[in-house]
Amino acid sequence: MSTEIKVPVLGESITEATLGEWLKKPGEAVAQDEAVASLETDKVSIEVGAPVAGVMGAYGVQIGDTVSVGGVIGSIEAGSGAPAAAPAKVEDVRQSPPVTPVAASDDQRGGAPTLSPSVRKLVLEKGVDPTTIKGTGKDGRLTREDVLGAPAQAAAPEAAPAAAAPAAAPAADRREERVRMTRLRQTVAKRLKDAQNTAALLTTFNDCDMTEVMAARARFKDAFENKHGVRLGLMSFFTKAAILAAKTIPSANAQIQGDEIVYFDYMDVSVAVSAPNGLVVPVVRDADRMGFADIEKAIAALGAKAKAGTLTMADMQGGTFTISNGGVFGGLMSTPIINPPQSAVLGLHRIEDRPVVRDGQIVIRPMMYLALSYDHRLIDGREAVTFLKTIKEAIEDPTRLLIDL
């Protein structure tokens, strides 16, 4: 007896997805509701559960294929099946070819791990053997973080140079790999290009002295975490500062819709976070009504869901303003692109000690560059500079956040 595996409802107005990876091989035992496949929509990854318990049947679609809501992608057969560690069958290899960039013995290699397209690409770039890395993802699958944390393979000893070597010829082991763009990456590319084509993008810069914020964090971090169960980070300070600035410059929290400007009396802040399949921007809703602890808890929860790949469409929809923190990756300065239909995005960067002048003296201060990219159709240059200056003043004197000044 065979039961069809169908594409579930993906979210409001979402009718298609891309098959990201198969999580079960044909012949493996499957429990009811156990994840058997991962689908990639425009914004999030969604796991497809088995409708019944049984044995994974033949695949109906291949990795990278576009599937529609309600479409059949495979089947579950009656029976007990083989354990999950069973060797891959021929059709499995066709669906997700094993990546073995370095030589390994049969004992080392074992069953080739199933890799998502993004992880496979990263494995090839780093030149590591995926069979030597312990996966921390679901069912022991490798994640991007696992590969990034793996040491590079030791290089083979160099041969002695020839006496008069001719011009070097291309290496025999040079290779190329074509990896189909995920639906998420395609959507990101399209939206970013649409933003450039539609909005009149402009970026203004400033820098801010982080001394007072860092001192406040050092002073209260332990008491804050003991009371609220979450760390006191920088994002809550900048979120509160952006909310304060939006009260002065409401156009930074507005949108152009057709020939109308929509002003919001609330602020839903999109926070750019890194997920296994790329950058995503889940939303902290009603951030303007939250305190520091609530903001930190909301951001921590969204970050954990992004890392686990469990963000939903509801987590991603909406947002009236975006904060992107490139400083966590070491970025010194950038020109972030707005997240349409939003009109502004605040870019944060790394903190570094720099010489500055205070009261006629050159002193060392922890400084951060700030960037505000905005849609010049809606926000004038004076407004953009004022908005960013308000954030700078609030960060350099956090008391302003408490007295709404």
Side-chain angles (χ1 to χ4, degrees), residues 107-191:
D107 291 339
Q108 292 173 317
R109 193 185 310 275
T114 301
L115 306 177
S116 67
S118 61
V119 173
R120 182 185 306 114
K121 182 175 182 292
L122 188 60
V123 164
L124 289 173
E125 290 175 350
K126 286 204 62 175
V128 297
D129 184 352
T131 62
T132 64
I133 306 172
K134 182 179 180 180
T136 60
K138 186 177 180 62
D139 297 329
R141 299 195 308 276
L142 292 185
T143 66
R144 289 178 59 85
E145 288 74 17
D146 297 332
V147 179
L148 289 172
Q153 301 296 320
E158 296 184 3
D173 61 348
R174 288 170 23 127
R175 60 181 180 271
E176 296 179 355
E177 183 191 20
R178 292 182 180 269
V179 179
R180 183 173 179 175
M181 292 175 68
T182 64
R183 180 173 290 268
L184 174 61
R185 178 51 55 186
Q186 292 178 46
T187 301
V188 168
K190 181 179 183 300
R191 286 175 62 85

Side-chain angles (χ1 to χ4, degrees), residues 206-227:
N206 212 322
D207 62 359
C208 64
D209 188 336
M210 300 294 294
T211 300
E212 295 300 324
V213 165
M214 294 176 68
R217 291 181 65 203
R219 181 179 178 184
F220 297 112
K221 65 178 182 179
D222 292 337
F224 187 90
E225 185 169 2
N226 290 336
K227 180 176 180 179

Side-chain angles (χ1 to χ4, degrees), residues 361-372:
Q361 300 294 320
I362 298 177
V363 295
I364 303 298
R365 292 287 188 267
M367 304 296 294
M368 175 194 286
Y369 287 118
L370 305 178
L372 181 75

Side-chain angles (χ1 to χ4, degrees), residues 93-341:
V93 175
R94 182 180 64 250
Q95 297 297 329
S96 182
V99 179
T100 52
V102 295
S105 67
D106 291 339
D107 291 339
Q108 292 173 317
R109 193 185 310 275
T114 301
L115 306 177
S116 67
S118 61
V119 173
R120 182 185 306 114
K121 182 175 182 292
L122 188 60
V123 164
L124 289 173
E125 290 175 350
K126 286 204 62 175
V128 297
D129 184 352
T131 62
T132 64
I133 306 172
K134 182 179 180 180
T136 60
K138 186 177 180 62
D139 297 329
R141 299 195 308 276
L142 292 185
T143 66
R144 289 178 59 85
E145 288 74 17
D146 297 332
V147 179
L148 289 172
Q153 301 296 320
E158 296 184 3
D173 61 348
R174 288 170 23 127
R175 60 181 180 271
E176 296 179 355
E177 183 191 20
R178 292 182 180 269
V179 179
R180 183 173 179 175
M181 292 175 68
T182 64
R183 180 173 290 268
L184 174 61
R185 178 51 55 186
Q186 292 178 46
T187 301
V188 168
K190 181 179 183 300
R191 286 175 62 85
L192 293 180
K193 190 58 183 173
D194 286 345
Q196 289 183 318
N197 294 338
T198 302
L201 291 178
L202 195 63
T203 302
T204 186
F205 299 94
N206 212 322
D207 62 359
C208 64
D209 188 336
M210 300 294 294
T211 300
E212 295 300 324
V213 165
M214 294 176 68
R217 291 181 65 203
R219 181 179 178 184
F220 297 112
K221 65 178 182 179
D222 292 337
F224 187 90
E225 185 169 2
N226 290 336
K227 180 176 180 179
H228 300 292
V230 66
R231 295 180 60 188
L232 178 59
L234 292 178
M235 287 299 293
S236 55
F237 284 94
F238 279 101
T239 300
K240 297 290 282 187
I243 293 168
L244 179 64
K247 294 179 180 180
T248 304
I249 309 296
S251 57
N253 190 47
Q255 297 176 5
I256 293 178
Q257 296 183 8
D259 58 357
E260 296 180 331
I261 299 174
V262 180
Y263 293 93
F264 303 99
D265 66 352
Y266 56 87
M267 198 160 182
D268 290 346
V269 180
S270 301
V271 181
V273 296
S274 181
N277 291 329
L279 190 71
V280 293
V281 279
V283 181
V284 177
R285 305 196 185 281
D286 295 317
D288 54 307
R289 302 179 185 179
M290 293 182 176
F292 282 77
D294 290 332
I295 292 174
E296 292 292 354
K297 289 177 181 178
I299 293 175
L302 291 171
K305 293 178 72 174
K307 185 175 182 180
T310 57
L311 285 171
T312 66
M313 294 301 299
D315 294 324
M316 308 290 294
Q317 292 173 337
T320 61
F321 183 83
T322 294
I323 300 177
S324 178
N325 186 5
V328 297
F329 304 110
L332 178 63
M333 186 178 290
S334 67
T335 55
I337 298 179
I338 63 174
N339 181 21

